[in-house]
């Protein structure tokens, strides 16, 4: 029991590390699942703004499931995807992304990360 | 002892009982009597709830007519109102009065004592008492002895007063009586409304509790009607929210007209924002229990439903409507609002595309369901359908964020005006639905539509809000 728990904790922190590493790799990073429609919506949102995000489809990644679990823990919610990172920093799930866009903070973030030009 | 108000017959009977028993111990039921009182109010005293005074009603109270103590002639008839005054019965016609004056009237007068002449309307014995209850006869018999001498003595006519003013006085008394009845009716109605309101609040509480305990299973086919329990609960909550909305709008309107200070306005505007936050929270809960109810707009009026986007209003359309109404705006504000409209459009587009993909995926799943693994496909389809809730939630989130951003961009006075415009706009849209439904057509229009129209139309009247006191 304890061995399993510590193992999953190990996986968890490992996965988180991987998430952070991947997120820092590009200006805009989206963790997604190819069949998820909300992920499709968030991708369309960024494309519609002229941003070219880096998308990681977790269902097509061998260790994708662990990343999903880690993200789910990170967000504290039920759905792990979609999750958006901008400039290596966590923005959040769809609701945070939209709130940020409506609130006018998303575009400055994108510009700062170099994902958007005037 | 003299002032017994008709409206409180119970008290009357209690207080009057001993008084009566003194003189009418043989009469088990209440005997109406005129109390001679210098304040010249005529009251009815009654006891014995068994007696149906309604039958004996003769609504003539002559004010200021003093009854001579020694004058045993009863020409005065009092209307008797039992506790069930709230039953509306009409006054007896005048002709009845003559009947009774003819001496068939039962005058159970109290012998002396207060010196007041007692009129028993049981004089009604003839016509009304036929189908009335038992009481009348005994009363007659009982007081028969007392009666007879005076019956002979008092002949029909209202003795003291002259005929002409007498009629006027009678009419006046009738008017007063009618007015009093109508006041009592109104009071009864209001009391009924109040108790209904309390009952409704309790019902809602019970439902809320039951729902939180998971007694109601949301989703298809739950309730007997075409609407699920989750949908029905939301409809009820939404209807109450609409009433609140109406109240908030009136408050905003009067606050703006009264030119309140900014800090006072801020409180009201914050209250309106919180009011909208509440509806989004309600919708969130409803999306969990019955997303179809929300997304098909069954909770809205037809006109709103026609322009529905993902279970509610389209934020960019709302902003487009608002911009010309928010003048004057500073350059910065104008830029901010245009930017808000643009962002909202982008977000709406993204969500719509996501929903399209969901629909496509669902169609594929159901279309490809073969006979062999149809259950599997159905299970997959069910899983996909579950995503609908997410989209409605995101759409509501978008609406909520838009309203909050508007609040941030505008000054407090502008924000107050902005929300007033929004509230009135949707009020008009709802009224439009009612008007449309009750427009003249070949087929019969249901009556309740017009009632709805009336209330919606009254909401539409911006200037005088007749419901501001509600």
């Amino acid at each position: 029991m304890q061995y399993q728990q510590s193992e999953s904790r190990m996986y968890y922190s490992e996965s988180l590390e991987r998430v952070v590493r991947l997120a820092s790799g590009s200006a805009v990073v989206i963790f997604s699942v190819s069949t998820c429609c909300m992920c499709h919506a968030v991708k369309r949102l960024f494309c519609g703004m002229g941003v070219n995000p880096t998308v990681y489809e977790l269902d097509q990644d061998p260790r994708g499931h662990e990343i999903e679990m880690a993200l789910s823990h990170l967000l504290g919610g039920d759905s792990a995807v979609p999750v958006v990172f901008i400039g290596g920093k966590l923005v959040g799930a769809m609701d945070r992304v939209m709130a940020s866009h409506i609130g006018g903070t998303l575009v400055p973030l994108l510009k700062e990360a170099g994902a958007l030009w005037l | 002892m003299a002032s017994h108000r008709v409206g409180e017959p119970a008290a009357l009977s209690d207080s009057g009982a001993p008084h009566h028993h003194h003189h009418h111990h043989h009469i088990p039921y209440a005997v109406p009597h005129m109390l001679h009182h210098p304040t010249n109010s005529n009251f009815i005293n009654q006891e014995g709830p068994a007696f149906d005074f309604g039958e004996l009603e003769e609504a003539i109270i002559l004010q200021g007519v003093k009854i001579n103590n020694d004058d045993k002639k009863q020409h005065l008839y009092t209307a008797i109102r039992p506790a069930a005054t709230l039953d509306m019965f009409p006054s007896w016609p005048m002709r009845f009065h003559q009947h009774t004056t003819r001496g068939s009237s039962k005058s159970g007068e109290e012998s002396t004592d207060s010196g007041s002449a007692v009129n028993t309307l049981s004089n009604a014995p003839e016509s009304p008492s036929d189908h009335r209850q038992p009481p009348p006869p005994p009363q007659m018999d009982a007081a028969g002895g007392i009666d007879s001498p005076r019956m002979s003595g008092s002949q029909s006519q209202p003795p003291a007063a002259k005929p002409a003013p007498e009629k006027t006085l009678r009419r006046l008394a009738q008017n007063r009586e009618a007015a009093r009845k109508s006041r009592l009716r109104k009071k009864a109605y209001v009391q009924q409304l109040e108790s209904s309101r309390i009952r409704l609040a309790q019902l809602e509480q019970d439902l809320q509790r039951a729902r939180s305990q998971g007694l109601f299973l949301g989703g298809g086919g739950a309730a007997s009607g075409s609407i699920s329990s989750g949908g029905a609960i939301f409809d009820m909550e939404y209807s109450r929210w609409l009433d609140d909305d109406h109240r908030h709008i009136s408050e905003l309107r009067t606050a703006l007209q009264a030119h309140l200070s900014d800090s006072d306005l801020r409180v009201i505007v914050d209250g309106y924002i919180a009011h909208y936050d509440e509806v989004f929270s309600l919708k969130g809960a409803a999306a969990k229990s019955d997303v179809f109810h929300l997304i098909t707009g069954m909770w809205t009026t037809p006109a709103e439903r026609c322009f529905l986007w993902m279970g509610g209003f389209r934020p960019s359309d709302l902003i487009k409507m608002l911009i010309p109404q928010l003048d004057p705006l500073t350059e910065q504000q104008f830029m901010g609002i245009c930017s808000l409209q643009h962002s909202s459009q982008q977000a709406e587009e993204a969500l719509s595309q996501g929903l399209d993909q969901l629909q496509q995926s669902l169609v594929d799943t159901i279309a490809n369901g073969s006979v062999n693994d149809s259950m599997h496909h159905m299970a997959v389809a069910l899983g996909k359908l579950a995503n609908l809730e997410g989209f409605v939630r995101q759409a509501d989130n978008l609406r909520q964020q838009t309203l909050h951003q508007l609040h941030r961009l505008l000054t407090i006075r502008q924000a107050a005006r902005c929300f007033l415009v929004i509230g009135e706009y949707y009020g008009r849209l709802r009224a439009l639905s009612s008007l449309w439904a009750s427009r003249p057509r070949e087929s019969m229009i249901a009556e309740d539509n017009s009632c709805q129209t009336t209330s919606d139309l009254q909401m539409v009247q911006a200037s005088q809000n007749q419901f501001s006191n509600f």
Side-chain angles (χ1 to χ4, degrees):
Chain A
M1 261 316 238
Q2 209 169 1
Y3 176 67
Q4 281 175 357
Q5 278 180 359
S6 61
E7 213 178 56
S8 59
R9 247 182 282 134
M10 200 167 60
Y11 284 146
Y12 177 61
S13 55
E14 266 186 22
S15 306
L16 269 186
E17 274 177 29
R18 184 145 176 260
V19 162
V20 170
R21 211 177 342 112
L22 290 173
S24 318
S26 319
V28 180
V29 173
I30 304 179
F31 290 97
S32 153
V33 166
S34 56
T35 55
C36 166
C37 304
M38 196 56 82
C39 301
H40 180 74
V42 84
K43 287 179 229 167
R44 297 306 321 154
L45 177 64
F46 282 107
C47 294
M49 293 166 64
V51 174
N52 191 20
T54 305
V55 179
Y56 293 104
E57 304 285 4
L58 296 179
D59 55 333
Q60 291 159 2
D61 187 305
R63 282 179 292 171
H65 180 70
E66 285 144 26
I67 297 183
E68 258 191 84
M69 302 295 292
L71 285 174
S72 181
H73 273 117
L74 188 68
L75 295 181
D78 27 18
S79 168
V81 289
V83 178
V84 174
F85 287 82
I86 297 180
K89 288 190 281 244
L90 173 70
V91 174
M94 184 56 148
D95 55 346
R96 301 293 344 273
V97 171
M98 286 213 306
S100 166
H101 193 32
I102 293 295
T105 58
L106 189 65
V107 167
L109 257 182
L110 288 168
K111 287 184 183 166
E112 203 184 304
L116 254 188
W117 293 274
L118 217 67
Chain B
M1 181 50 95
S3 311
H4 293 270
R5 311 219 54 172
V6 179
E8 299 142 7
L12 270 183
S13 34
D14 289 341
S15 56
H19 179 67
H20 276 278
H21 279 268
H22 240 116
H23 316 280
H24 299 279
H25 48 273
H26 49 279
I27 303 171
Y29 37 82
V31 167
H33 65 272
M34 189 73 62
L35 298 175
H36 175 54
H37 199 262
T39 63
N40 67 47
S41 4
N42 303 313
F43 298 100
I44 298 147
N45 198 331
Q46 61 173 342
E47 60 183 5
F51 189 77
D52 185 3
F53 285 113
E55 321 311 338
L56 303 187
E57 169 190 341
E58 170 70 356
I60 303 175
I61 301 179
L62 302 183
Q63 186 167 12
V65 177
K66 306 228 189 308
I67 302 172
N68 196 334
N69 288 354
D70 300 323
D71 186 4
K72 314 275 184 158
K73 302 169 193 160
Q74 299 75 25
H75 46 275
L76 303 170
Y77 300 87
T78 62
I80 302 158
R81 295 278 170 273
T85 301
L86 311 177
D87 304 334
M88 325 306 160
F89 32 75
S91 312
W92 286 103
M94 287 299 290
R95 57 166 177 78
F96 180 63
H97 167 70
Q98 268 125 41
H99 270 274
T100 54
T101 45
R102 222 178 305 125
S104 54
S105 55
K106 161 33 140 333
S107 44
E109 177 188 47
E110 303 197 56
S111 46
T112 79
D113 211 50
S114 62
S116 37
V118 178
N119 238 352
T120 61
L121 264 189
S122 59
N123 48 34
E126 325 178 307
S127 39
S129 57
D130 297 333
H131 31 287
R132 298 325 181 200
Q133 291 167 9
Q139 189 179 23
M140 280 242 277
D141 298 333
I146 307 175
D147 233 359
S148 19
R150 283 178 315 99
M151 278 179 62
S152 50
S154 70
Q155 246 338 335
S156 42
Q157 283 39 23
K162 295 170 183 123
E166 162 92 9
K167 279 208 178 79
T168 315
L169 286 170
R170 262 205 302 272
R171 214 170 299 130
L172 284 176
Q174 272 179 329
N175 287 345
R176 268 194 302 282
E177 188 56 33
R180 191 173 54 82
K181 264 187 276 179
S182 122
R183 275 195 300 277
L184 287 168
R185 269 200 294 272
K186 178 178 174 185
K187 184 177 170 188
Y189 178 64
V190 168
Q191 276 170 357
Q192 275 172 6
L193 278 181
E194 288 294 313
S195 60
S196 296
R197 204 166 58 105
I198 293 171
R199 241 180 300 135
L200 178 65
Q202 280 168 354
L203 266 173
E204 285 176 347
Q205 261 181 19
D206 291 341
L207 271 171
Q208 192 77 14
R209 220 178 307 126
R211 181 169 66 152
S212 63
Q213 290 166 10
L215 287 181
F216 289 114
L217 304 175
S224 51
S226 55
I227 198 174
S228 75
S229 313
I233 291 172
F234 175 73
D235 282 354
M236 204 171 54
E237 292 170 332
Y238 180 64
S239 145
R240 198 180 17 161
W241 185 86
L242 280 178
D243 291 339
D244 280 350
D245 193 61
H246 189 62
R247 198 177 29 89
H248 278 278
I249 296 298
S250 313
E251 214 183 338
L252 272 170
R253 193 180 299 122
T254 47
L256 280 170
Q257 284 168 353
H259 297 291
L260 293 186
S261 70
D262 275 6
S263 50
D264 289 339
L265 262 184
R266 191 175 310 275
V267 171
I268 297 177
V269 169
D270 286 349
Y272 197 65
I273 293 269
H275 168 70
Y276 257 96
D277 285 344
E278 195 200 322
V279 81
F280 292 127
S281 150
L282 290 176
K283 286 178 81 182
K288 281 192 170 60
S289 64
D290 189 356
V291 69
F292 281 125
H293 183 70
L294 280 186
I295 210 169
T296 55
M298 295 317 295
W299 54 282
T300 59
T301 59
E304 289 173 290
R305 205 176 303 149
C306 180
F307 304 113
L308 209 70
W309 174 78
M310 227 171 269
F313 66 85
R314 190 184 274 270
S316 57
D317 281 349
L318 182 68
I319 297 169
K320 213 185 315 179
M321 183 274 291
L322 279 173
I323 288 183
Q325 311 237 15
L326 288 177
D327 268 345
L329 291 170
T330 68
E331 180 84 19
Q332 193 181 11
Q333 283 176 328
F334 184 71
M335 299 291 291
I337 294 190
C338 286
S339 163
L340 175 62
Q341 185 184 351
H342 186 56
S343 324
S344 184
Q345 264 167 339
Q346 284 173 329
E348 288 159 24
E349 184 62 29
L351 283 177
S352 296
Q353 288 186 13
L355 192 61
D356 280 349
Q357 205 206 40
L358 177 63
Q359 188 181 5
Q360 195 56 54
S361 163
L362 200 62
V363 163
D364 286 344
T365 303
I366 298 178
N368 289 332
S370 63
V371 176
N372 291 335
D373 51 357
S374 59
M375 280 315 295
H376 169 69
H377 282 273
M378 286 310 232
V380 171
L382 277 176
K384 291 186 177 173
L385 260 188
N387 290 308
L388 264 182
E389 183 206 328
F391 278 97
V392 174
R393 304 267 342 250
Q394 290 305 329
D396 275 346
N397 179 35
L398 187 62
R399 292 174 193 118
Q400 187 176 23
Q401 292 302 321
T402 303
L403 289 175
H404 280 252
Q405 180 68 358
L406 269 174
H407 186 203
R408 278 190 286 263
L409 285 172
L410 300 171
T411 67
I412 198 64
R413 186 150 257 107
Q414 284 172 326
R417 211 148 36 87
C418 170
F419 292 129
L420 179 62
V421 167
I422 292 176
E424 288 180 339
Y425 170 74
Y426 286 115
R428 265 179 245 126
L429 198 56
R430 285 188 285 268
L432 194 64
S433 294
S434 302
L435 288 171
W436 179 256
S438 51
R439 75 193 187 284
R441 280 174 293 181
E442 316 283 301
S443 51
M444 292 300 292
I445 314 278
E447 276 310 299
D448 20 294
N449 278 340
S450 22
C451 294
Q452 165 107 28
T453 305
T454 315
S455 59
D456 284 343
L457 275 178
Q458 280 165 331
M459 272 172 57
V460 163
Q461 287 168 12
S463 45
Q464 267 108 11
N465 189 355
Q466 289 147 2
F467 294 113
S468 54
N469 47 326
F470 283 172

